[in-house]
Amino acid sequence: DAELLQHERRHESILLELAALDADVIGLNEVTRPLLERVLLEPWVRRSFTVSAVPGEACCSHLSTLQEGSFGNLLLSKIAPVAVAFIEQPGDRRHSHVATLDLCVGGRRLRVAVCSTHLTAFPWLMEGRRRTQLAHVTSAMKAAAFDVACVMGDFNFHREAENASIPDGW
């Protein structure tokens, strides 16, 4: 029920909060097509950010973020990515978004990956799927041999014991 959910009001609040953060990289989960379209209209986004999903772009057409009635992930980065990749998550139609950033820290060039992911929910029923999804994302990023990698998002861990699903070194 649109009246109950108050999407417009919630989207406006979300965008005001994000603008106030002054963050270099933002990872969002459960982004619907209407929210994405609002994000893309924001002057602060248009002026300063690269986004990981763009309606009408062939390379993005498979993303759940762009499908009507669905939702997905989104990355916004003030640092222009060298590349943006999408890792399909086992067991659902969603994709983790990975931005590759070239940074210079203390005179050292670093190839940095920032990933926005959203693992399957449903407490207890999907612990195995979440473990598989996280292992899939982290192994794909490890295979790409980044100097530094960060996975952020909604892991949907519902019990402390699920923290054991986090691979060593992450």
Side-chain angles (χ1 to χ4, degrees):
D1 181 1
E3 187 176 329
L4 177 67
L5 294 176
Q6 305 264 327
H7 290 297
E8 285 301 314
R9 190 173 179 192
R10 289 174 48 226
H11 292 171
E12 184 65 29
S13 294
I14 290 167
L15 293 168
L16 287 171
E17 287 286 328
L18 293 175
L21 289 176
D22 191 33
D24 291 324
V25 178
I26 300 170
L28 300 175
N29 301 132
E30 297 189 14
V31 175
T32 60
R33 177 82 184 242
L35 176 56
L36 174 62
E37 290 169 356
R38 282 288 307 273
V39 167
L40 295 174
L41 291 174
E42 287 294 306
W44 59 272
V45 172
R46 297 177 70 80
R47 179 177 53 252
S48 304
F49 285 86
T50 300
V51 296
S52 62
V54 180
E57 289 292 322
C59 65
C60 298
S61 63
H62 66 290
L63 299 174
S64 58
T65 311
L66 299 175
Q67 307 303 315
E68 280 303 319
S70 188
F71 61 85
N73 297 304
L74 186 68
L75 277 172
L76 295 88
S77 180
K78 282 185 182 175
I79 304 159
V82 175
V84 175
F86 308 105
I87 302 171
E88 187 170 350
Q89 294 180 178
D92 62 31
R93 298 180 316 118
R94 291 188 294 222
H95 295 79
S96 297
H97 294 212
V98 182
T100 302
L101 311 173
D102 280 343
L103 303 178
C104 187
V105 179
R108 183 171 169 226
R109 292 192 65 88
L110 296 173
R111 189 166 168 255
V112 176
V114 180
C115 175
S116 178
T117 194
H118 186 186
L119 307 181
T120 300
F122 301 112
W124 296 282
L125 299 175
M126 296 295 178
E127 287 181 14
R129 181 181 290 177
R130 286 190 290 278
R131 184 174 31 261
T132 299
Q133 289 172 335
L134 186 57
H136 180 71
V137 167
T138 55
S139 65
M141 291 175 68
K142 185 176 181 180
F146 294 106
D147 297 310
V148 177
C150 170
V151 179
M152 61 181 162
D154 186 350
F155 290 9
N156 271 311
F157 287 177
H158 298 278
R159 301 180 315 117
E160 190 67 31
E162 283 195 86
N163 290 336
S165 297
I166 301 172
D168 289 338
W170 290 89

